[in-house]
Amino acid sequence: MLAGSAWPVFFTRAAQHVPASANVYLDVSGSMQEYIPWMYGVINGMMRYMAPKIYLFSNKIVEITRAELQQGQLRSTGGTDFDCVIKHLAAARVPTALVITDGMADISVPELAAKVKCSVNVIGVTIGRQRQQSLHRFTRKIYNIDPDSGGMRT
């Protein structure tokens, strides 16, 4: 409400918190090992904005609780496979997903990747300066974070 044609400095009602709906998929493959402590710290700091589902992926998907993530627990096969993420997204039918990876993986299910790209709002976040070609096949937007410089670009 305007007061004397000016917006009030203080509002009497607090802004409503919009519940998060994006499931998070964290790449915990061998090539991501140096970034995992940093990545876990970032995710821990953003917990209140995220959906309750957090998944680790390498060659398979593993659900991890918030408490396990806060304790730094890690379950990985060491390899990387976007196919497991794509298949999980197709089966889970979530509206939005955030995939954090270095992008070093291939896709052997291109038709399913295209279907997921059309039906799920998948946002990719790449860490470092790795390739992104495969990630483009199932994400709608990709952001790149360079942990060394702290910079981010699309």
Side-chain angles (χ1 to χ4, degrees), residues 98-146:
L98 179 67
V99 178
I100 303 172
T101 180
D102 61 5
M104 295 185 65
D106 292 316
I107 296 172
S108 64
V109 289
E111 299 83 13
L112 188 57
K115 184 178 177 181
V116 165
K117 187 171 185 170
C118 290
S119 62
V120 181
N121 182 24
V122 182
I123 300 160
V125 176
T126 57
I127 298 183
R129 301 190 180 272
Q130 303 298 330
R131 60 191 178 117
Q132 301 175 6
Q133 293 87 353
S134 294
L135 201 56
H136 279 287
R137 296 171 101 183
F138 71 100
T139 60
R140 294 187 186 178
K141 184 86 171 164
I142 298 175
Y143 296 91
N144 179 265
I145 297 173
D146 184 357

Side-chain angles (χ1 to χ4, degrees), residues 20-148:
S21 62
N23 285 351
V24 179
Y25 294 80
L26 302 173
D27 180 348
V28 291
S29 64
S31 60
M32 288 288 290
Q33 292 304 304
E34 69 178 290
Y35 302 117
I36 288 174
W38 176 82
M39 191 170 57
Y40 273 32
V42 169
I43 298 299
N44 277 322
M46 298 174 58
M47 286 287 198
R48 66 182 176 150
Y49 303 108
M50 296 182 179
K53 301 282 186 178
I54 300 170
Y55 300 98
L56 305 180
F57 76 93
S58 46
N59 292 100
K60 64 180 185 173
I61 299 283
V62 177
E63 186 172 350
I64 189 170
T65 67
R66 290 174 183 231
E68 290 171 328
L69 186 82
Q70 289 170 338
Q71 295 165 6
Q73 291 187 22
L74 175 68
R75 291 180 223 127
S76 175
T77 63
T80 316
D81 187 353
F82 285 147
D83 289 349
C84 65
V85 175
I86 292 165
K87 290 174 183 175
H88 195 268
L89 286 169
R93 298 184 181 197
V94 296
T96 307
L98 179 67
V99 178
I100 303 172
T101 180
D102 61 5
M104 295 185 65
D106 292 316
I107 296 172
S108 64
V109 289
E111 299 83 13
L112 188 57
K115 184 178 177 181
V116 165
K117 187 171 185 170
C118 290
S119 62
V120 181
N121 182 24
V122 182
I123 300 160
V125 176
T126 57
I127 298 183
R129 301 190 180 272
Q130 303 298 330
R131 60 191 178 117
Q132 301 175 6
Q133 293 87 353
S134 294
L135 201 56
H136 279 287
R137 296 171 101 183
F138 71 100
T139 60
R140 294 187 186 178
K141 184 86 171 164
I142 298 175
Y143 296 91
N144 179 265
I145 297 173
D146 184 357
D148 298 326

